[in-house]
Structure formats: C-alpha cells, structure tokens
C-alpha cells in the first residue's frame, strides 16, 4: 500500500470482485456453510479496515473520521450477526431480515444487485481516496513540495516522512515507484470519488440502521428473558414494599 498504488488498487479490486463470486460458487456447488457466511463477513471487515487504517495515516487530519468508519463498520456487522444468531436461531442467515423489523435492511440484504452496488461503490470510494493520496496536491499538499524545499510540517510525521525512514537509497525500487506515483493524474480518482460518494454515504446510514435495529432486537430478547425469569415482577414488588 505505501509504495505500489497501482498494483495495490488492482489487487484490492480483484479481491472485492472475487468476494462477490465466492457466495455464488458456494451456492452453485451446494457448499454453503455457517462458517463460510461468518468468514465472508469477517474477511470483508478486515479488508476494509486495512485500507481505512492506511487512509488514516495518509490523511492524519481526518484520521478520526476513518477511525469512526472502522468502528461503525465492525460494530454494526458484529451486532447484526450476533443478534441474528442468538435471536433468530442458529440456522438463520444474517441476510434473512424480516421486513417488519427493518424495511431498509430487508431491501439491502434480499436484493443481490442492491447489496453488490452498495458494497462495490463503498470500496470504490475508498480506493479513489487511496489513489488521491498519491496524486492530488489538494488532499496531499506535500506532493507540491520537493524534498529540498522548506516546509512547515514536522519531519517524521505521516504527512511529511523523512526520506531515510522510507528508503535507504534514493535509487531503490521503492523510491522509483514512489516518484512515479507522485506523477499520477488525479482526474480519474476524483471522478470515481465524486460518483461513489453518495452511495458510500448511504452505506454508512445503513450501517447505523443495522446497529440500532440489532441493539433493539437484543434488548427485546433481554427484556423477555428477564420477564420469564420473574426479574421484572421482583423489581415491581420491591417498589411497592418501599
């Protein structure tokens, strides 16, 4: 990620496309399993988190935003998966959502085209930001400065790393790739970022809805369990005695 933006973007994109195909392959060969469903979600979360961690270091002023996105992504999917397994039964898929519980999540998980579009555009936006960190002086002002020019940034920070921290030789393969990366044109990444941003933003809204609905579902389960154990009645009696 730090040295080969073109190669990284290509491999990351291929990984995202294969992620959409593995479920189809599992269903076609009748190899769908609970382990596969959980592994698929966990792998997605880890992949996105890795990219967001790099973006947090590439844009340190916006690191709290990327940290929030990582937290929201992990929390919402974990709560949804746990609520589905504990409240809906061990055999229920996390993609099977009752419309009465959430119409938005029902449309999101039941329509493969909608699910693929939101996930693909979400990843596309972050890939575009990743490429812009190498090509856009607007987002990365250090691209405008040569290594010998004075800068107000503290050397050694993520925004202005010391050359010796990255490469032992200015003619190394990594240094040459970094130089080529800085000459990347930012037009296409900007277009991709602008086109995919609305869908990415919508995906975060869906994550919030998913987190809230799963939390309420688990709370309902706790409430019913306490009622069955008589804990609510004891609390009521204690109030009357007081």
């Amino acid at each position: 990620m730090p040295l080969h933006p073109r190669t990284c973007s290509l491999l990351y994109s291929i990984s995202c496309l294969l992620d959409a195909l593995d479920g189809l392959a599992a269903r076609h060969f009748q190899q769908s399993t609970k382990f596969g469903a959980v592994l698929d979600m966990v792998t997605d979360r880890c992949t996105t988190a890795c990219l967001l961690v790099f973006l947090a270091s590439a844009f340190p002023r916006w690191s709290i935003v990327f940290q929030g996105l990582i937290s929201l992504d992990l929390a919402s999917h974990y709560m949804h998966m746990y609520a589905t397994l504990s409240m809906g039964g061990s055999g229920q898929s996390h993609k099977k959502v009752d419309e009465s519980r959430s119409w938005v999540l029902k449309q999101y998980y039941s329509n493969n085209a909608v699910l693929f579009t939101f996930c693909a555009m979400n990843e596309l936006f972050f890939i575009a930001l990743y490429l812009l960190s190498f090509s856009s002086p607007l987002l990365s002002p250090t691209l405008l400065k040569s290594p010998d020019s004075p800068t107000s940034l503290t050397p050694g920070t993520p925004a202005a790393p010391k050359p010796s921290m990255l490469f032992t030789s200015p003619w190394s393969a990594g240094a040459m790739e970094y130089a080529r990366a800085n000459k990347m044109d930012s037009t296409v990444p900007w277009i991709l970022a602008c086109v995919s941003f609305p869908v990415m933003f919508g995906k975060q809204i869906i994550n919030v809805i998913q987190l809230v609905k799963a939390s309420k579902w688990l709370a309902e389960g706790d409430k019913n369990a306490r009622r069955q154990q008589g804990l609510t009645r004891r609390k009521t009696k204690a109030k009357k005695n007081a």
Side-chain angles (χ1 to χ4, degrees):
M1 278 189 175
L3 302 179
H4 303 281
R6 297 179 181 86
T7 304
C8 178
S9 298
L10 176 62
L11 294 177
Y12 193 95
S13 300
I14 293 175
S15 173
C16 292
L17 292 175
L18 291 176
D19 176 62
L21 296 177
D22 59 0
L24 295 175
R27 287 187 290 272
H28 176 75
F29 293 104
Q30 298 181 351
Q31 295 179 349
S32 300
T33 60
K34 298 176 186 177
F35 172 74
V38 175
L39 180 63
D40 182 70
M41 178 177 286
V42 170
T43 304
D44 292 345
R45 306 287 72 76
C46 293
T47 305
T48 305
C50 288
L51 181 54
L52 291 176
V53 166
F54 179 86
L55 292 177
S57 64
F59 306 109
R61 292 183 179 181
W62 297 93
S63 61
I64 191 172
V65 175
F66 296 113
Q67 291 167 350
L69 290 175
I70 293 174
S71 301
L72 176 61
D73 194 40
L74 293 176
S76 65
H77 284 84
Y78 176 82
M79 292 285 282
H80 178 69
M81 176 68 77
Y82 187 84
T84 302
L85 293 177
S86 61
M87 302 297 297
S90 59
Q92 182 171 333
S93 170
H94 67 280
K95 293 184 178 180
K96 186 178 180 181
V97 180
D98 190 355
E99 188 170 352
S100 62
R101 187 163 296 279
S102 174
W103 181 86
V104 174
L105 294 180
K106 173 68 175 180
Q107 304 306 314
Y108 177 72
Y109 278 115
S110 62
N111 192 320
N112 290 332
V114 172
L115 180 62
F116 175 80
T117 300
F118 271 91
C119 292
M121 298 298 276
N122 183 68
E123 298 297 337
L124 183 62
F125 176 78
F126 295 132
I127 293 174
L129 276 188
Y130 167 70
L131 292 174
L132 287 172
S133 70
F134 289 93
S135 60
S136 175
L138 181 63
L139 296 181
S140 301
T142 52
L143 295 178
L144 291 172
K145 299 180 179 294
S146 64
D148 300 327
S149 63
T151 177
S152 60
L153 298 173
T154 304
T157 61
K162 293 180 179 179
S164 59
M165 292 174 60
L166 295 176
F167 317 111
T168 56
S169 169
W171 304 106
S172 65
M176 297 300 292
E177 177 63 20
Y178 191 75
R180 289 195 297 271
N182 285 346
K183 295 179 181 179
M184 289 174 59
D185 183 69
S186 62
T187 303
V188 174
W190 268 118
I191 293 174
L192 295 177
C194 292
V195 170
S196 58
F197 174 78
V199 182
M200 182 281 301
F201 189 77
K203 176 72 163 59
Q204 307 315 315
I205 295 177
I206 292 175
N207 282 343
V208 172
I209 295 174
Q210 183 171 247
L211 178 62
V212 172
K213 294 295 183 181
S215 300
K216 288 184 176 180
W217 197 8
L218 287 171
E220 289 174 8
D222 289 336
K223 198 173 181 180
N224 293 333
R226 291 175 63 85
R227 185 180 295 110
Q228 292 176 1
Q229 295 172 7
L231 296 178
T232 304
R233 297 174 185 172
R234 293 174 188 172
K235 185 177 180 181
T236 303
K237 290 180 181 179
K239 287 184 178 180
K240 289 182 179 179
N241 294 334

